[in-house]
Amino acid sequence: MSRLAESADAARRLALEAALAAGSSHIGSSLSLIDLMTVLRLGVMWPEDRLLLSKGHAAAGFYAVLAQAGALSREEVLDGYCRDGGTLAGHPERGYPGVEITGGSLGHGPSIAIGMALADRHDRSHRRTYCVVGDGELNEGSVWEAIALASHLRLANLTVAVDANGLQGLGRASDILDLEPLAGKLEAFGWSVAEADGHDHEALQRALSVQQPGRPRAVVARTVKGYGVGFLEGDVMSHYRSFKPDQRDLLLGALEERRAA
């Protein structure tokens, strides 16, 4: 098993343990992006680069990946996530190691990322900004305003990665607002675009490593909501469903079964 695969597996388990301890929801959203965030944080980014999570409700997955990267400890995630008096809020807040923006109000991340990327270009910095959004989040008009502006500004130091799991809070993304062909729309806005299996680490690394002069980069990562826990995979209710500590064996047992399959 590769280093990235081992890290992603450990992050999935940690995210589940933290969600169980807190009795929190958004497990499906967290699990869908862990491979993507792992490849970004541990396989693509340089230490000075920025990683923004716009779909902040997937915080458990984000914190778990940050723990694998050494920005947080496992104990901080397990004991501090989404609890009264805890150190890690249910949606990321600035001030925690590795957290660049306060996220959770959907549609804001790409605009903030543009500001950061533009400032870095002005400062002649080689730093890149990476922003992860959900496909349901693309319903927000502010995202498309940002996409148009980034192209106009020719922000080649900006990458937006879409966690395209096909589901959102109230149903299938295609039923609520069908944005396919998503890659074609992003290309029409002037972006350099690739699609990849969002759970294939090598494919993600190739897609996320490409830079094209004068064009921002977009990667549509085709993921599965609830990935890694068989009975949650592709289930829209995994967006809201929470579990209690006495269901630990159910969740972690399903995770181990999926790994062995």
Side-chain angles (χ1 to χ4, degrees), residues 111-172:
S111 295
I112 300 172
I114 285 175
M116 291 178 172
L118 189 60
D120 285 336
R121 188 171 71 183
H122 181 271
D123 292 341
R124 301 184 185 278
S125 169
H126 295 292
R127 177 165 49 193
R128 290 191 63 82
T129 296
Y130 298 87
C131 181
V132 175
V133 301
D135 51 352
E137 185 176 6
L138 299 184
N139 294 0
E140 298 281 359
S142 58
V143 172
W144 293 96
E145 292 175 357
I147 288 169
L149 181 59
S151 175
H152 174 75
L153 294 173
R154 301 173 62 83
L155 291 177
N157 58 343
L158 172 65
T159 295
V160 169
V162 183
D163 175 24
N165 62 38
L167 297 171
Q168 55 191 95
L170 298 176
R172 295 194 171 279

Side-chain angles (χ1 to χ4, degrees), residues 33-108:
L33 57 61
I34 281 177
D35 288 304
L36 172 60
M37 300 287 275
T38 296
V39 171
L40 277 168
R41 196 65 169 76
L42 298 176
V44 173
M45 293 173 57
W46 292 93
E48 67 271 19
D49 292 341
R50 295 188 178 101
L51 178 57
L52 281 59
L53 177 63
S54 190
K55 52 173 288 184
H57 53 281
F62 186 27
Y63 296 146
V65 171
L66 289 177
Q68 288 300 303
L72 297 171
S73 71
R74 174 181 170 83
E75 291 69 30
E76 283 178 294
V77 178
L78 283 176
D79 299 336
Y81 167 63
C82 204
R83 300 192 190 202
D84 289 342
T87 56
L88 297 173
H91 289 66
E93 294 180 358
R94 287 186 64 193
Y96 303 131
V99 180
E100 297 282 352
I101 62 170
T102 297
S105 184
L106 296 177
H108 290 184

